[in-house]
Amino acid sequence: MRKCLSLLVLALVLALAAPALADECKNRGLLDAMYCDNDMDLVADLAGPGQCKDPSTLVFTYTPVEDPAVYRDAFADFQEYLGKATGKEVVYYTVQSNAAEVEAMRSGRLHIAGFSTGPTGFAVNLAGYVPIAVKGYPEGFQGYNLIVLVKQDSPFQTLTDLKGKKVAHTSPSSNSGNLAPRALFPKLGLVPDEDYTVLYSGKHDQSVLGVAHGDYDAAPVASDVYERMLKAGRVKEGELRAIYTSPRFPTSSFGYSNQLCPELAQKIVGAFHTYRFPESMQKSFDGADRFYPVTYMADWKVIREIAEATGTSYNEEGLQQMAKKEAEKAKKK
């Protein structure tokens, strides 16, 4: 009888507590029902006392690549630094796809990670991921811009001057070469396919050379590709000029699970912000020498705009679509 009474009391307490707990979440935004965003910064709030995790071993991974061993070795020194900063053992966990990486953090098997630019949104909304840094330099983070190139002696000065012209996009799936222009240009008074003729060049360098040779009036391309072409002498300095430069697109983000206890999360943030890459790591990451601080709200704004404009939803359905595409790509390989 006492046992039954205790169970009834417990059930009543839980029933009364459930609405109270629900009321505690005053804002969720686009986050999954598992998470709350009361501070309105677009990422999940940290788990509270009694709910947060303080594991003896921290699991870390980097966005999946064709040869995971390369980056497992590249991050070995940082893992050691992170271990000393947190007082924990840090182990590397190899993931086979972006979708699997999101699921690993959502399930609590992954504590700290580097996510690719696009999948970062899925990790934030579905896995309680809190981005805090990207690879970078003293002056800013490592990334690239969408730039629109025209010939130096052309009359074009603004995007709207390209109405009625021939503009080279790279390929349908390219971010800076197609998706970003379709998302960003209409707000600036220029609608691809309506205001100008889109011609697919196939690659960023072919778009650049096409403008230089007069095949196209203009071309949206990735700034880092153009800079490499200039350094290699494939395009002469001053032959082309940019009439538009987008906000900077970040590369892969780094962060932690919101399920970690605040004290541990603070130590992880400190480790990321004070660590400096050794020479071997700088070579692996195009000269980046540190983790540069970022926020999802500010630094992923342009990425979210592109995703919204191109129909990408950072929800469970969108994750399943990404997983399907990854599986198809792996099958072809």
Side-chain angles (χ1 to χ4, degrees):
M1 178 66 72
R2 288 181 180 176
K3 185 176 181 181
C4 291
L5 183 60
S6 297
L7 290 173
L8 286 172
V9 171
L10 177 61
L12 180 61
V13 170
L14 291 174
L16 293 173
L21 290 172
D23 289 342
E24 287 178 6
C25 187
K26 296 179 173 56
N27 177 67
R28 182 164 285 116
L30 298 176
L31 301 181
D32 186 82
M34 293 172 61
Y35 311 108
C36 199
D37 179 25
N38 283 332
D39 59 3
M40 310 283 283
D41 63 355
L42 303 186
V43 300
D45 298 334
L46 287 177
Q51 297 177 317
C52 65
K53 298 177 181 179
D54 187 21
S56 59
T57 299
L58 293 173
V59 181
F60 168 77
T61 196
Y62 184 57
T63 180
V65 291
E66 291 184 6
D67 187 2
V70 172
Y71 288 114
R72 183 178 62 237
D73 295 341
F75 284 106
D77 185 73
F78 173 64
Q79 284 180 231
E80 183 178 349
Y81 186 86
L82 186 59
K84 291 178 180 178
T86 59
K88 311 281 187 180
E89 180 184 3
V90 181
V91 298
Y92 194 92
Y93 173 67
T94 300
V95 290
Q96 302 302 321
S97 69
N98 290 297
E101 186 178 5
V102 173
E103 291 293 350
M105 181 164 284
R106 180 182 173 89
S107 68
R109 292 180 287 117
L110 180 63
H111 306 121
I112 307 167
F115 283 92
S116 294
T117 304
T120 289
F122 289 108
V124 166
N125 286 0
L126 299 176
Y129 174 59
V130 182
I132 57 172
V134 296
K135 300 183 297 292
Y137 318 93
E139 67 277 6
F141 63 75
Q142 190 178 66
Y144 65 95
N145 306 84
L146 156 64
I147 58 174
V148 177
L149 296 174
V150 298
K151 294 192 75 169
Q152 178 64 44
D153 59 0
S154 75
F156 313 124
Q157 300 298 324
T158 66
L159 286 180
T160 53
D161 292 336
L162 299 178
K163 290 185 177 182
K165 305 304 177 183
K166 295 184 298 182
V167 178
H169 285 206
T170 55
S171 63
S173 62
S174 172
N175 180 51
S176 53
N178 184 57
L179 300 179
R182 292 183 182 279
L184 303 178
F185 288 2
K187 297 178 182 179
L188 302 172
L190 189 69
V191 181
D193 283 323
E194 292 183 18
D195 292 330
Y196 65 77
T197 301
V198 173
L199 300 171
Y200 289 111
S201 67
K203 296 180 180 180
H204 287 270
D205 57 350
Q206 291 175 354
S207 289
V208 173
L209 294 174
V211 174
H213 297 156
D215 300 326
Y216 314 116
D217 295 303
V221 298
S223 62
D224 56 344
V225 174
Y226 178 56
E227 288 163 6
R228 286 196 295 269
M229 293 179 71
L230 286 173
K231 289 179 181 178
R234 298 183 64 193
V235 183
K236 295 179 181 179
E237 191 75 48
E239 186 175 4
L240 305 176
R241 57 183 169 83
I243 61 171
Y244 169 80
T245 301
S246 76
R248 198 156 180 80
F249 299 139
T251 56
S252 53
S253 66
F254 292 84
Y256 58 87
S257 166
N258 82 308
Q259 294 303 305
L260 298 179
C261 289
E263 297 82 2
L264 176 56
Q266 187 174 11
K267 291 177 182 178
I268 292 170
V269 172
F272 270 100
H273 293 172
T274 57
Y275 180 71
R276 295 296 177 262
F277 296 4
E279 187 176 346
S280 59
M281 198 168 170
Q282 292 181 38
K283 289 180 179 178
S284 297
F285 296 115
D286 298 323
D289 69 348
R290 67 193 63 205
F291 292 109
Y292 191 85
V294 296
T295 65
Y296 182 69
M297 175 180 278
D299 299 295
W300 251 257
K301 184 175 184 293
V302 65
I303 304 300
R304 296 195 303 273
E305 288 178 356
I306 293 170
E308 181 179 356
T310 55
T312 299
S313 298
Y314 292 135
N315 54 24
E316 189 66 37
E317 183 181 354
L319 182 66
Q320 291 175 2
Q321 292 175 353
M322 182 176 72
K324 183 179 179 181
K325 290 180 180 178
E326 289 184 320
E328 292 173 348
K329 187 176 180 180
K331 188 175 180 180
K332 290 179 181 179
K333 289 183 179 180

